[in-house]
Amino acid sequence: MDSTGAELPAPSPAPLAPWAPTSWRDHKAEQQPSWPDPDAHQSVVDRLSSMPPLVFAGEARELTEQLAAVARGDAFLLQAGDCAESFETSADSIRDRLRVILQMAVVLTYYTGVPVVKVGRIAGQFAKPRSSDTETLDGVELPSFRGHIINDIGFSQGDRLPDPERLMTAYNRAAATLNLLRAFTKGGFASLTSVHQWNREFVVDSPAGQRYEAMADEIDRAVQFMEACGITGDTLAELRQVDFYTSHEALLLGYEEALTREDSLTGGWYDCSAHMLWIGERTRQIDGSHVEFLRGVNNPIGCKVGPTATADELLALCDVLDPHRRPGRLTFVTRMGANKVIDLLPPLLSAVSDAGHQLVWTCDPMHGNTFTADDGHKTRHFEDVLAEVSGFFAAHRFAGTNPGGVHLELTGDDVTECLGGGAEVLTEDLSSRYETMCDPRLNGSQSVDLAFRLAELLRATSDLGA
Ligand code: PEP
Ligand code: CO
């Protein structure tokens, strides 16, 4: 607004340099492995360029529309999954991750009445940024593990050598995972008539699992009621399938470039490795390769925002990544830490909204709350996760902006990686089922517990579900 209170038109975007799927190569690319044989890497990238796309441009556009509803405050984004997916993930484990996301979504929808946009960190979340290029164990220094798309987690020279053939394996694993997810979400498993089946045995006994059972009984009765009233056909068919989207950090740019295709319908470029891609906290430099690459693809994109981010940096990112101010195009994923969020977030929210950008703001309460427990395990406490989400909601109330959603690291399995939660995990439990290849994830019952706590926070927020 100007001094008379009139709305100012959005400034026209500054002209940007021409873009091509390869233009990132002229910028500085952080966090790329050094391939022992660059020609071998290029030959895999060339082979990948002729493989079929994993997702369609139209699906990515559909997700952008759903995220536009999130930006308006008419829907809530649940983005969740592994920190780092493994090439060895079993079909059961994929099903169980989907199952816990469906459980969380149904809890949120049931208690808030707001549609939940479901996006997995799945079917491509294979590359990890690292704080250090090397890792030292018992005096031996080796290259860091960078995710299964690059090297292996074992601690030997052979395991840690970047292998470009892994890009092809990653593509095949992503395709197989996506195929299974499409079968589960469209083939009846995700039907609202199956809500009880999503609650796994070990979750049923936890307080959150019991609360879930009671809610599932009510949903069953509501569905039976609708059927008894003669509501059939398309309306009931709607309850039998869900839209589920995939996402990962667009870290390994050779892989992302190879899967980027020109859409025959619109002529726009899409990164067809996933519906949504995000830029990590370590690679969001405005003149870096990752920003350069993602500015040119038309998928909805995310960008992590950590405690060192400034308002000027965010405004510059908005101008480059969303120059046409398309609602749903850009999501800022904030990860400040439970004790910093309330101080650091409101000025950023205000700066971006005062500049006229309508983005999705979502809360990653995981990456700012990691610490090493007394027994040496990297962990997070459920209460810190909850505290950051709650600070995130408070910051949005303060700034008058929409808290759009959450971005979580979780698994459906009964792991003991994060502390606390309804069926409390204690420090002495951590070593019993600590299975992650990277960061600690919420287990099935902690995730369902968090969904109920989130639903309560959402109901208490006047912007949504009131
Ligand atoms: C992640 O999401 O796994 C991650 C590495 O996060 P960040 O970029 O926020 O540190
Ligand atoms: Co992580």
Side-chain angles (χ1 to χ4, degrees), residues 83 121 128-129 249 278 280-282 304 335 367 409:
C83 178
R121 286 175 60 115
K128 295 311 298 174
E249 179 174 348
W278 78 85
E281 170 67 0
R282 292 164 192 77
K304 293 289 195 89
R335 30 89 88 219
H367 290 90
E409 288 183 343

Side-chain angles (χ1 to χ4, degrees), residues 51-118:
M51 301 297 278
L54 293 175
V55 304
F56 303 118
E59 296 174 314
R61 280 194 289 276
E62 212 176 82
L63 176 58
T64 305
E65 269 171 40
Q66 297 199 13
L67 291 172
V70 175
R72 289 194 303 271
D74 294 337
F76 190 77
L77 170 62
L78 174 62
Q79 188 170 12
D82 250 311
C83 178
E85 280 180 278
S86 160
F87 282 174
E88 273 94 58
T89 304
S90 67
D92 284 358
S93 180
I94 295 165
R95 179 200 58 207
D96 294 338
R97 270 179 289 160
L98 173 67
R99 179 139 88 158
V100 78
I101 294 171
L102 292 174
Q103 275 190 291
M104 294 183 78
V106 80
V107 168
L108 288 165
T109 310
Y110 190 76
Y111 285 102
T112 66
V114 168
V116 174
V117 181
K118 295 167 273 296

Side-chain angles (χ1 to χ4, degrees), residues 342 345-347 349-350 391-401 463:
I342 199 62
L345 192 53
L349 300 175
S350 300
F392 171 83
F393 279 97
H396 280 278
R397 258 198 311 278
F398 189 75
T401 43
D463 306 293

Side-chain angles (χ1 to χ4, degrees), residues 291-341:
V291 170
E292 172 59 20
F293 176 73
L294 281 180
R295 83 175 169 92
V297 298
N298 284 281
N299 307 59
I301 58 176
C303 182
K304 293 289 195 89
V305 174
T308 60
T310 64
D312 285 348
E313 280 171 1
L314 298 197
L315 293 174
L317 285 166
C318 288
D319 286 343
V320 172
L321 296 173
D322 184 24
H324 305 293
R325 300 182 175 218
R326 282 190 290 141
R329 154 71 174 170
L330 181 58
T331 295
F332 276 149
V333 185
T334 65
R335 30 89 88 219
M336 299 295 175
N339 54 6
K340 296 196 186 123
V341 61

Side-chain angles (χ1 to χ4, degrees), residues 1 14 59 62 78 89 110 197 201 209 213 221 242 261 267 298 330 341 374 385 446 462:
M1 278 191 227
E59 296 174 314
E62 212 176 82
L78 174 62
T89 304
Y110 190 76
Q197 287 159 34
E201 316 69 50
E213 284 294 297
R221 274 198 297 278
V242 298
R261 307 294 155 78
N298 284 281
L330 181 58
V341 61
D374 290 344
V385 169
Q446 287 169 328
S462 53

